[in-house]
Amino acid sequence: NQKKILLTLRKTEQGGVYKGSESERLKLIEQLITLKPDYLDIEHDVPLAYCQKLKAISPQTQLVCSYHNFIDTPKN
């Protein structure tokens, strides 16, 4: 049974730990997707054109669009 690989590089304002600039983060994500993970978790506010660029680099990688709201999300 082969395990699936999911990669993410989340910025601090969305609950992650990445503290660099957004342009540096997006460049790192482009490098990560060359590893051809099964899934790449990307924030909902990343432009569609950038997502299309990622899919061109690794067509088999499934993009997971995520949104994190730490204020209004119910506890249950």
Side-chain angles (χ1 to χ4, degrees):
N1 199 3
Q2 187 176 354
K3 294 186 181 193
K4 302 291 183 182
I5 296 174
L6 180 140
L7 298 178
T8 190
L9 185 61
R10 192 159 325 285
K11 49 191 168 184
T12 55
E13 52 269 13
Q14 291 194 354
V17 296
Y18 185 77
K19 295 180 183 175
S21 74
E22 181 65 355
S23 63
E24 291 170 339
R25 186 180 79 90
L26 295 177
K27 286 178 187 174
L28 284 171
I29 289 172
E30 287 178 45
Q31 292 174 4
L32 286 173
I33 203 164
T34 65
L35 299 172
K36 303 198 183 307
D38 298 298
Y39 302 94
L40 178 71
D41 184 351
I42 195 98
E43 290 82 4
H44 76 285
D45 61 351
V46 171
L48 179 59
Y50 182 76
C51 293
Q52 292 169 333
K53 180 179 183 178
L54 294 176
K55 287 299 285 182
I57 295 170
S58 181
Q60 72 275 19
T61 298
Q62 296 294 308
L63 299 182
V64 177
C65 181
S66 61
Y67 172 74
H68 303 275
N69 183 332
F70 301 105
I71 297 170
D72 295 328
T73 304
K75 293 182 195 274
N76 63 359

